[in-house]
Amino acid sequence: MEAIRRAYPDLKDSSVEDIGRYINSLDDAQLKGFINNLKGVYHEIKFVEFENKDKDHYFAKLFTETNHPGSDVILYNTKTGEVEYLQLKATDDINYIKEAMVKYPDIRIASTKEVAERLHIDTTGMSNEEITKTVKREIERIKDYGDKDLTDYIPKGLFWYTLFQIYPLFLDYKNKKYPLKN
């Protein structure tokens, strides 16, 4: 949810049910783009979380905006005061990373394990496959909330009990045994 709200500011204040309905409204191509965008944002959030828990002399921070040119994370060296910008890539596409290297040659790139090993670049320590599974699983869970209506939140027994209690009163009203007063 944090990644969705960060990646899609229009959904920032939306309920889980509304976000689920939004996701359910996406066609296949839109959903693929949604998932890829979320993978990237989720990767960034988790990287910062892990980096700031590892008790080394680096502190990581996300940029306020998700579309900062060239980099995703600011790394602060708490010993030297040095600041470095880092671009993160959650992908298994080597060409995607090579394009980023050409476009931003002065910005260090860290990627998921699978690609980092093949390109001999820094890794974030996370697996693209695991990020993809996690994001897809969570999207499916949120989509389920978008399919629910009010009766899904009422236990079935209580629903039927209430209906059987109210129905005779409704019939009496309909037969004008209990007219409404003005």
Side-chain angles (χ1 to χ4, degrees):
M1 288 303 295
E2 181 182 355
I4 290 172
R5 290 190 165 115
R6 179 166 167 73
Y8 298 93
D10 292 348
L11 299 174
K12 184 177 73 167
D13 297 321
S14 298
S15 68
V16 177
E17 292 83 3
D18 288 341
I19 293 171
R21 282 188 282 279
Y22 171 78
I23 294 170
N24 285 329
S25 75
L26 301 175
D27 65 32
D28 289 344
Q30 291 170 319
L31 184 59
K32 183 178 180 183
F34 186 83
I35 289 169
N36 284 336
N37 191 29
L38 278 186
K39 279 178 51 184
V41 173
Y42 177 76
H43 184 223
E44 294 165 9
I45 291 168
K46 296 311 278 182
F47 174 81
V48 167
E49 185 179 296
F50 294 149
E51 181 57 49
N52 292 339
K53 287 182 180 178
D54 69 2
K55 298 182 181 170
D56 64 8
H57 57 277
Y58 288 97
F59 176 77
K61 184 177 183 231
L62 293 169
F63 286 96
T64 304
E65 65 279 359
T66 57
N67 60 346
H68 188 271
S71 58
D72 303 305
V73 174
I74 305 168
L75 278 178
Y76 297 96
N77 183 323
T78 57
K79 282 186 176 179
T80 66
E82 183 181 352
V83 175
E84 181 181 8
Y85 299 97
L86 184 63
Q87 187 176 141
L88 303 180
K89 297 292 183 196
T91 186
D92 58 3
D93 184 350
I94 290 176
N95 291 325
Y96 179 59
I97 294 177
K98 286 181 178 179
E99 289 170 11
M101 291 172 156
V102 169
K103 188 171 183 179
Y104 300 105
D106 297 331
I107 297 176
R108 186 166 60 114
I109 296 175
S111 184
T112 46
K113 292 177 186 177
E114 301 90 339
V115 176
E117 290 170 3
R118 291 189 291 180
L119 288 175
H120 306 289
I121 61 173
D122 293 324
T123 180
T124 59
M126 292 175 263
S127 158
N128 183 61
E129 182 179 345
E130 287 303 314
I131 290 171
T132 302
K133 284 180 187 176
T134 299
V135 168
K136 285 182 175 181
R137 182 184 64 239
E138 291 304 309
I139 286 174
E140 288 303 315
R141 189 179 63 78
I142 293 167
K143 282 172 63 174
D144 287 345
Y145 281 97
D147 290 337
K148 295 186 183 294
D149 62 20
L150 185 59
T151 60
D152 291 326
Y153 297 101
I154 301 171
K156 300 297 183 215
L158 178 61
F159 173 78
W160 288 110
Y161 173 79
T162 304
L163 183 63
F164 285 126
Q165 297 299 312
I166 294 174
Y167 188 69
L169 295 172
F170 171 74
L171 289 177
D172 287 344
Y173 165 74
K174 188 174 176 184
N175 293 324
K176 301 198 188 290
K177 286 187 178 179
Y178 301 109
L180 290 177
K181 295 182 182 180
N182 292 337

